[in-house]
Amino acid sequence: MEGLTLSDAEQKYYSDLFSYCDIESTKKVAANGRVLELFRAAQLPNDVVLQITELCGAKRLGYFGRSQFYIALKLVAVAQSGFPLRVESINTVKDLPLPRFVASKNEQESRHAASYSSDSENQGSYSGVIPPPPGRGQVKKGSVSHDTVQPRAAADQQEPASPVVSPQQSPPASPHTWRKHTRHPSGGNSERPLTGPGPFWSPFGEAQSGSSAGDAVWSGHSPPPPQENWVSFADTPPTSTLLTMHPASVQDQTTVRTVASATTANEIRRQSSSYDDPWKITDEQRQYYVNQFKTIQPDLNGFIPGSAAKEFFTKSKLPILELSHIWELSDFDKDGALTLDEFCAAFHLVVARKNGYDLPEKLPESLMPKLIDLEDSADVGDQPGEVGYSGSPAEAPPSKSPSMPSLNQTWPELNQSSEDTAIVHPVPIRMTPSKIHMQEMELKRTGSDHTNPTSPLLVKTSDLSEENKINSSVKFASGNTVDGYSSSDSFTSDPEQIGNSVTHQRSHSGTSPDSAAPPPPPPRPQPSHSRSSSLDMNRTFAVTTGQQQVGVVAHPPAVPPRPQPAQAAGPVVHRPVDADGLITHTSTSPQQIPEQPNFADFSQFEVFAASNVNEEQDDEAEKHPEVLPVEKASDPANSLRVAKTDSKIEEKTAASAPANVSKGTTPLAPPPKPVRRRLKSEDELRPEVDEHTQKTGVLAAVLASQPSIPRSVGKDKKAIQASIRRNKETNTVLARLNSELQQQLKDVLEERISLEVQLEQLRPFSHL
Amino acid sequence: MVHTSLDVVDEKISAMGKALVDQRELYLGLLYPTEDYKVYGYVTNSKVKFVMVVDSSNTALRDNEIRSMFRKLHSSYTDVMCNPFYNPGDRIQSRAFDSMVASLMPQVC
C-alpha cells in the first residue's frame, strides 16, 4: 500500500492495537472481528469505516495485515480529526492525533479495561473478544464495550465489540435469541448500563443486522458493521456514559438478535458474560451447559455419543464445517464422544460462534479439559478448557470455578484409584475373601489331600473338647480371616516353596505381606498350597528343623489359632465320619494323644525339633516330602471323606495337639496371625499324616512355630520367612499324617466291608 | 497423475489380496519419463488408502520418513473420522487436519 510513516507514539499505539486485534497471535493478521470492533469503537460512521478498510487494502486482501491495520488506524485518526479520507492523507496529515477508540462499556468495562490494560498482550485482545461469546448476544456486546475501554491493551475489550458486531449480524437467527440471555450479567458483565445507550444501540444493531444480515462471515467482514459507538477505545478508562451506552447498545443488539434467532439454547448460553476471559465459561453458562448435557445424557460422568452431539449442535444452525471444527476442538481425547467438560467446551464454542466470535484454531485454555487421565480424558475435556482459558489476562481464577465441578468429577476417579491402592495395602480387607478361601480350603482339604491338615485340626478340636472348639470356632473366624491372609501367605509361599525349599520360609513370610497387598492372587492357590507346600514342607521341614528350633519358642503361641480354625472346620466335617473309624485307629490315636499335649509346650518344640530330627531319621517319608505328602494327602483326604475312625482319631489327636498349641497361642496372636497359624497348622497337619507321632510332633513344632510367624511378620521379615518355612514343614508333616490316616481309614473300611460280606454270607447258614 | 494414482490403487488392491494388512506400502519407482515423482501408498485396516506423490526433485526421502508421515496422516485421519459432523467421503475440511498435513509438507518438500 502506500508508504506509511508513523511517529513513535503512533507506532507504539498501533502495535498495541494490532496486538489487541491479533487474537490468534499470528503477529501478522489482525482478526477482522476485532478490527471491526476497534473501528466501531472509533466512533466513526459506518461508511467511514468501510472506506477506511477499503483504503487500507484490507478489503482487497480480505484480512488486516499489520500494514493494513496500521494504515487503517491512521485513517481512523484522520477521520476522527475530520480530515477526508484519502490514501495520501495517511502521510500528509501532520500532527494527527492518535485514533481514539472509545470503549462503550460501563464501569465494569472500565475495570475490565483496566485489567486488560494491565495485560496488554494479545491475550488481552483475546479476552476482549471472547467474553461476549458466553453471553452470546448480550454478553458479547456488553463485554465488547467493556473491553474496549482501554486503548492499548484495551484491544481485548475492543475486539469483543467488533467481533460481536460482526457475528451478531452474520448469524441473524441465532444471535438474536442469544442476545436476550446475555443480558444477564453472569460473569460480571457490565450489561447494566446498557439501558441508556439502548436506543442508540438498537438502531445500530438494526443497521448492523441489516448490513450484515447477508454476511455469513463472522469476523471476516472487511467493512466493519457500522457499530459506531459500540466499541470505543479510549486511552483513558472509558467514561461511564460511553460504557453505559455500549452495554445498552449491546443489549439492544443482543435483543435484536435474540428476537431474530430461533435458538433458545443459545440464549441461555449468552447469559454468562465473562469479560475477563473471552473463552471463559461463566457459572451461568456452565450451569446451562450442564443442564443441556443432562437432557442428552443424564449421567454427568457419562459420554454424549457423537451422533447425539451432532444432532444437538446442529440445532444451533451453524454450518457443518464450523460444527466440525468445534468438534475437533472440543473432543479433546478424540474418542468420538463428549464428556461433560468437552460438551461444555463445545457448547461454549458454539455460543461464541453464534455471537460472532471466531473459532480459535486450537482449544482455548479455559476450555481445555483439565483432568487428564484420572479416568477418561473425557472428564479432562471440559474442565481445563474452562479453567485454563483464564490464561488470558484477566481472570484465571474465576474461570476455575466452572471447572471445579469437572475437577470434582475427576476427583472421585482419583479417589477410586486411591481406594484401589488403599485396598491393596490393608491386609484386613482380605479377611472376607480369605474366610471364603479358608472355608474352601478346608472343604477341599476334607475332600482331598488337604484334609490332612483339617483332620488333625478336627482331631485336635475334638480332643480339646469344647474349649478347643470354642477356641477353634473363634479362631476359625479369625482363622478364616487369618487363613485368608495366611492362605494368601501360604499361597504365595507355596509357589515359592515349590521353587525353593530353602527360600520357602522366607518367601512365605515375605509373601504374606505381599499377599496382603495384591489381594487377588494369593487366596486361590491355597487349595494347591497344601499339597505343594506339603511336598515342600517335608523337605523344608527337614531342612528347617534346626531352624525351627530357633523359632520354635516363638511359634507355639501362634500355631494354635490356625489349627483350630482349620480344625474347627475339619471337625465339623470329620466328626461324623470319625465316629465310625474310631476303633481301628485307636491304636494310633494314643500315639497321637500323648504327642499332642506336647504341642502346647514350648519345650515340645525342641522335642519336636528333636523328634523331627528323629523323625527325619526314622521316617524317610518325611524326608521325602514329595512322596509322603502326596500319598498321605490323598489318603487322608479319602479317609476323611470316608470318615474312618482311624483317621478321625488321628486327626482328632493331631488336631487336639495343634488345637492345644493353637489354643495356647491364640490369645497371643492377633487376627492376622491366626491366618498364618492356620497355614502353619495346615503345614503341621500335613506332616502329621506321615506319622502320627511324627506328625504330632511336627504339629507341635509347627504350631509352636506358627505363633512366631505372626509375630515375625510384624517384626522381622526373616523371622516371618522362617516361620513360614516352619509352617510349611508342619504342613508337610501334617499332610503326611493325613495321608496315613486316610490310608488307615480305607483299610478299616475295607475290613468292615469284608466283615459285612462275611456276615451276609454266614447269615443264610445261620438260618439253616 | 491421475492415471498413476489409479495404477497405484490397482497395485494396492492386488497387494491386499495377499496381505490384507499392509500398512506400509511403499510404492517406489513409479517414475514417468517426464515427471519423475514417487508415489507412496498406504493402506489402513479399513481399506482406506493414502497416496502420497512426491517429486523426486529433492533427495529421496527415506523410507522411515515416509512411514512416519503416513502414520501421522493416518492418525490425523482417524481424528477427523471421529468427528460426527464429518460425512465419510466428503472432502476433509478440518483445519487441524490441514495444518497437520501442511506440517508434513516441509519434510517432503
Short mmCIF file of all heavy atoms in Angstrom, two decimals, chain A residues 413-427 429 516-519:
data_model
loop_
_atom_site.label_atom_id
_atom_site.label_comp_id
_atom_site.label_asym_id
_atom_site.label_seq_id
_atom_site.Cartn_x
_atom_site.Cartn_y
_atom_site.Cartn_z
N GLU A 413 -12.59 -40.07 40.65
CA GLU A 413 -11.76 -41.04 39.96
C GLU A 413 -10.48 -41.23 40.73
O GLU A 413 -10.01 -42.33 40.92
CB GLU A 413 -11.47 -40.55 38.56
CG GLU A 413 -12.74 -40.37 37.77
CD GLU A 413 -12.45 -39.67 36.46
OE1 GLU A 413 -11.29 -39.27 36.28
OE2 GLU A 413 -13.35 -39.55 35.66
N LEU A 414 -9.96 -40.13 41.14
CA LEU A 414 -8.74 -40.22 41.92
C LEU A 414 -8.99 -41.05 43.16
O LEU A 414 -8.20 -41.89 43.54
CB LEU A 414 -8.26 -38.83 42.32
CG LEU A 414 -7.70 -38.01 41.17
CD1 LEU A 414 -7.44 -36.59 41.62
CD2 LEU A 414 -6.45 -38.63 40.62
N ASN A 415 -10.11 -40.74 43.75
CA ASN A 415 -10.42 -41.47 44.97
C ASN A 415 -10.51 -42.95 44.68
O ASN A 415 -10.09 -43.78 45.45
CB ASN A 415 -11.73 -40.96 45.57
CG ASN A 415 -11.56 -39.55 46.06
OD1 ASN A 415 -10.46 -39.14 46.37
ND2 ASN A 415 -12.63 -38.79 46.12
N GLN A 416 -11.10 -43.20 43.57
CA GLN A 416 -11.24 -44.61 43.26
C GLN A 416 -9.88 -45.24 43.12
O GLN A 416 -9.61 -46.31 43.62
CB GLN A 416 -12.02 -44.79 41.97
CG GLN A 416 -13.46 -44.36 42.12
CD GLN A 416 -14.16 -44.38 40.79
OE1 GLN A 416 -13.60 -44.81 39.81
NE2 GLN A 416 -15.38 -43.91 40.76
N SER A 417 -9.05 -44.53 42.41
CA SER A 417 -7.73 -45.11 42.24
C SER A 417 -7.05 -45.23 43.58
O SER A 417 -6.40 -46.22 43.87
CB SER A 417 -6.91 -44.23 41.30
OG SER A 417 -6.76 -42.95 41.88
N SER A 418 -7.24 -44.21 44.38
CA SER A 418 -6.61 -44.30 45.68
C SER A 418 -7.24 -45.42 46.47
O SER A 418 -6.58 -46.10 47.24
CB SER A 418 -6.75 -42.99 46.43
OG SER A 418 -8.12 -42.74 46.66
N GLU A 419 -8.51 -45.56 46.26
CA GLU A 419 -9.15 -46.63 47.01
C GLU A 419 -8.55 -47.96 46.59
O GLU A 419 -8.35 -48.84 47.39
CB GLU A 419 -10.64 -46.64 46.73
CG GLU A 419 -11.36 -45.49 47.41
CD GLU A 419 -12.81 -45.43 46.99
OE1 GLU A 419 -13.19 -46.24 46.16
OE2 GLU A 419 -13.52 -44.59 47.52
N ASP A 420 -8.34 -48.03 45.33
CA ASP A 420 -7.76 -49.29 44.89
C ASP A 420 -6.45 -49.53 45.59
O ASP A 420 -6.17 -50.61 46.09
CB ASP A 420 -7.54 -49.26 43.38
CG ASP A 420 -8.88 -49.21 42.66
OD1 ASP A 420 -9.87 -49.65 43.25
OD2 ASP A 420 -8.91 -48.75 41.53
N THR A 421 -5.68 -48.48 45.59
CA THR A 421 -4.40 -48.67 46.25
C THR A 421 -4.62 -48.94 47.72
O THR A 421 -3.90 -49.71 48.33
CB THR A 421 -3.56 -47.41 46.10
OG1 THR A 421 -4.26 -46.30 46.63
CG2 THR A 421 -3.26 -47.19 44.62
N ALA A 422 -5.63 -48.26 48.24
CA ALA A 422 -5.86 -48.46 49.67
C ALA A 422 -6.25 -49.89 49.91
O ALA A 422 -5.84 -50.51 50.87
CB ALA A 422 -6.94 -47.50 50.15
N ILE A 423 -7.04 -50.36 49.03
CA ILE A 423 -7.48 -51.72 49.25
C ILE A 423 -6.29 -52.66 49.22
O ILE A 423 -6.23 -53.64 49.92
CB ILE A 423 -8.48 -52.12 48.16
CG1 ILE A 423 -9.79 -51.34 48.35
CG2 ILE A 423 -8.74 -53.62 48.21
CD1 ILE A 423 -10.78 -51.56 47.25
N VAL A 424 -5.40 -52.31 48.40
CA VAL A 424 -4.29 -53.23 48.25
C VAL A 424 -3.54 -53.38 49.55
O VAL A 424 -3.18 -54.47 49.95
CB VAL A 424 -3.34 -52.70 47.16
CG1 VAL A 424 -2.05 -53.48 47.17
CG2 VAL A 424 -4.03 -52.81 45.81
N HIS A 425 -3.34 -52.28 50.21
CA HIS A 425 -2.44 -52.36 51.35
C HIS A 425 -3.00 -53.04 52.57
O HIS A 425 -2.38 -53.92 53.13
CB HIS A 425 -1.97 -50.96 51.72
CG HIS A 425 -1.23 -50.31 50.60
ND1 HIS A 425 -0.09 -50.86 50.09
CD2 HIS A 425 -1.47 -49.21 49.89
CE1 HIS A 425 0.34 -50.08 49.11
NE2 HIS A 425 -0.47 -49.08 48.97
N PRO A 426 -4.17 -52.64 53.00
CA PRO A 426 -4.59 -53.20 54.27
C PRO A 426 -4.85 -54.69 54.14
O PRO A 426 -5.58 -55.13 53.28
CB PRO A 426 -5.88 -52.47 54.59
CG PRO A 426 -6.10 -51.50 53.51
CD PRO A 426 -5.16 -51.78 52.41
N VAL A 427 -4.27 -55.36 54.97
CA VAL A 427 -4.46 -56.81 54.95
C VAL A 427 -5.86 -57.17 55.34
O VAL A 427 -6.47 -58.05 54.76
CB VAL A 427 -3.45 -57.46 55.89
CG1 VAL A 427 -3.72 -58.95 55.99
CG2 VAL A 427 -2.04 -57.20 55.38
N ILE A 429 -8.57 -56.21 54.79
CA ILE A 429 -9.59 -56.19 53.75
C ILE A 429 -9.78 -57.57 53.18
O ILE A 429 -10.84 -57.96 52.76
CB ILE A 429 -9.18 -55.21 52.66
CG1 ILE A 429 -9.22 -53.79 53.22
CG2 ILE A 429 -10.11 -55.34 51.45
CD1 ILE A 429 -8.77 -52.77 52.25
N ALA A 516 -1.03 -59.74 51.11
CA ALA A 516 -2.00 -58.78 51.58
C ALA A 516 -2.12 -57.64 50.58
O ALA A 516 -3.18 -57.18 50.26
CB ALA A 516 -1.56 -58.24 52.94
N ALA A 517 -0.99 -57.27 50.11
CA ALA A 517 -1.02 -56.12 49.21
C ALA A 517 -1.76 -56.44 47.91
O ALA A 517 -2.74 -55.81 47.60
CB ALA A 517 0.40 -55.64 48.91
N PRO A 518 -1.33 -57.40 47.16
CA PRO A 518 -2.08 -57.72 45.95
C PRO A 518 -3.15 -58.73 46.27
O PRO A 518 -2.89 -59.91 46.30
CB PRO A 518 -1.05 -58.32 45.02
CG PRO A 518 0.05 -58.82 45.89
CD PRO A 518 -0.11 -58.15 47.24
N PRO A 519 -4.28 -58.31 46.48
CA PRO A 519 -5.36 -59.16 47.01
C PRO A 519 -5.59 -60.41 46.19
O PRO A 519 -5.64 -61.49 46.73
CB PRO A 519 -6.57 -58.26 46.98
CG PRO A 519 -6.04 -56.89 46.89
CD PRO A 519 -4.68 -56.97 46.29
#
